[in-house]
Amino acid sequence: MAGHFMKTDLLINGNRRTLDADNRTSLLDALRHHLGLTGAKKGCDHGQCGACTVLINGRRINACLTLACMHDGDEITTIEGLGSAEALSPMQRAFVNHDGFQCGYCTPGQICSATAMLEEIEAGWPSHVTADMTAKPSLDEHEIGERMSGNLCRCAAYPNIVDAIRDAAWRDQE
């Protein structure tokens, strides 16, 4: 049975793109296979690993769990939109400086997730482990671990990832 095709207008990394795809196409497959943005990775295809994390209207989301057609008009930021080889974002620079990657497969999702996580903390959003619900959450190991728990690293670069996140947060406050 053939699917139904529909046009979806997306604002991806600041550029308007029109997608004409089957309405069952996941956002991840649309990004990778229809639009040529291969930074977000397909790790588990079940929303458990976070390798496909992108930002939609500033919030992190697993691109494998949402349909592209659901984001008509939305602003989508992928790892390609956070920075470039010539101008790394603060989080990308921190990951490089702290060796927050090994094989690099999960790194785009880690960086997108960590970027949004710092915005959540800045907005005062508590997590499950936030001790004081009335104060700005701290950036201790437990808080970062809880907030990044949806992003897995098979190489176990977690200590370096935590250090990179702390460094990027510290630089944002300068």
Side-chain angles (χ1 to χ4, degrees), residues 2 4-5 11 21 23-24 27 41 54 61 74-75 80 100 102 109-110 112 130-131 133 140 150 153 161 166:
H4 293 92
F5 281 73
L11 181 61
N23 59 8
R24 299 169 293 181
L27 179 59
K41 303 293 190 264
V54 297
I61 190 167
D74 284 349
E75 184 176 338
E80 293 92 345
Q102 287 185 22
Q110 296 275 0
C112 284
T130 302
M133 302 294 261
D140 64 30
C153 174
I161 291 169
R166 282 188 182 141

Side-chain angles (χ1 to χ4, degrees), residues 53-55 58-61 112-127 130 135-137 139 143-144 146-148:
T53 304
V54 297
L55 308 178
R59 296 188 65 181
R60 52 188 164 163
I61 190 167
C112 284
S113 189
T115 299
M117 181 200 72
L118 291 184
E119 294 294 323
E120 294 164 9
I121 288 174
E122 188 60 34
W125 294 4
S127 77
T130 302
K136 182 178 175 182
L139 270 178
E143 191 73 44
I144 293 172
E146 171 66 21
R147 290 174 184 268
M148 293 296 292

